[in-house]
Amino acid sequence: MSDSVKPSGADEIPFRNPGWAGNTGEFDLTEELVRGEEYVGDLPAHGGHPGRAPTYPYMLKDREPEAPLFEGPYEERFEKIRSRFPTARAALLPALNLAQEIRGHISQDTMREVGGMLGLSDAYVRGVATFYTMYNKRPVGRFLIQVCTNISCNLCGGDEVLAAFLEATETEMGETTEDGLFTVMEVECLAACGTPTAIQINSRYFENVTPADVPAILDRLRDEAS
Ligand code: FES
């Protein structure tokens, strides 16, 4: 990009997560400013494809399904979300995102709480939350492994990668392992069709995955969890 078309403030913004809209410079905000430093992941030391979106900002060490919503450091982030959107309805998606970051899933109670804080009806919030598969409606493991089996990935063995994860974790689709670490799901296109098979683990992408890679990926996640 030439200097003449760089957005204002782009020089000061660290190039950390090219997929994150804040880095356009439009708001002169860093990811750390919006999410809080402790919620921004470092680049994975190894693994994955070099072209991946190198981030996993939602990955907290422990999610607490009963944690209070939007208190402490989350209160400021919630207020930032509110201030950036013209209406409560427009703020609903990021507010649900933040709630999922805290609690790991969006239960009926969480939908009611978020709706109450935004002044939206239960029915409206439920309609939005149940429309998007990215909101987990029930608890998932610490690592949510989503395997793409859509066209490109399917042609390159996506079904076999999915089967390998299910076999290695000894789970059925959507089940969580007894140690609470892994939930394996099948998903539609992850928009990484050029490097199939693509999988998404929490917010982190791995590309060009084959069944042979599965044990190493799981070992690495177990290491991260220990
Ligand atoms: S088909 Fe798998 S990422 Fe698009």
Side-chain angles (χ1 to χ4, degrees):
M1 182 184 286
S2 73
D3 285 348
S4 59
V5 294
K6 269 187 184 173
S8 85
D11 284 338
E12 296 78 44
I13 297 172
F15 183 74
R16 182 164 202 171
N17 175 2
W20 186 69
N23 278 8
T24 62
E26 186 184 352
F27 300 108
D28 284 355
L29 292 171
T30 62
E31 188 171 5
E32 286 87 345
L33 271 177
V34 174
R35 297 187 184 281
E37 281 187 15
E38 63 210 274
Y39 303 107
V40 178
D42 291 324
L43 296 180
H46 50 78
H49 185 274
R52 72 203 180 283
T55 180
Y56 39 112
Y58 299 174
M59 216 165 105
L60 294 183
K61 283 207 178 328
D62 298 299
R63 289 171 173 143
E64 298 175 33
E66 307 298 330
L69 273 189
F70 311 149
E71 291 184 3
Y74 292 106
E75 184 178 356
E76 189 184 347
R77 293 174 64 196
F78 177 68
E79 290 308 324
K80 267 185 187 154
I81 288 170
R82 283 299 313 264
S83 70
R84 289 179 67 183
F85 292 90
T87 64
R89 285 187 173 197
L92 178 57
L93 290 179
L96 286 171
N97 233 29
L98 185 59
Q100 178 158 288
E101 179 182 318
I102 298 166
R103 294 183 170 173
H105 75 290
I106 303 291
S107 67
Q108 299 273 348
D109 285 345
T110 301
M111 292 177 205
R112 270 190 289 276
E113 272 183 77
V114 173
M117 297 175 88
L118 289 172
L120 298 172
S121 72
D122 290 354
Y124 185 82
V125 176
R126 195 174 313 125
V128 171
T130 55
F131 180 81
Y132 293 101
T133 57
M134 291 84 90
Y135 297 123
N136 308 317
K137 261 64 79 181
R138 57 197 171 89
V140 296
R142 175 169 170 188
F143 299 107
L144 177 60
I145 300 169
Q146 301 181 87
V147 183
C148 175
T149 56
N150 224 182
I151 300 292
S152 299
C153 294
N154 191 282
L155 290 172
C156 293
D159 281 343
E160 287 76 17
V161 173
L162 175 64
F165 273 110
L166 292 172
E167 187 180 338
T169 55
E170 299 180 337
T171 58
E172 299 288 329
M173 190 107 66
E175 266 184 5
T176 297
T177 52
E178 282 183 14
D179 58 9
L181 281 185
F182 305 117
T183 305
V184 180
M185 304 279 288
E186 179 180 32
V187 288
E188 298 298 324
C189 180
L190 289 170
C193 317
T195 49
T197 290
I199 65 171
Q200 183 179 346
I201 301 178
N202 296 350
S203 297
R204 180 172 26 166
Y205 270 36
F206 292 76
E207 296 166 284
N208 292 322
V209 176
T210 68
D213 297 323
V214 169
I217 291 172
L218 292 177
D219 283 347
R220 179 175 154 194
L221 297 176
R222 287 190 187 97
D223 281 351
E224 289 178 8
S226 60

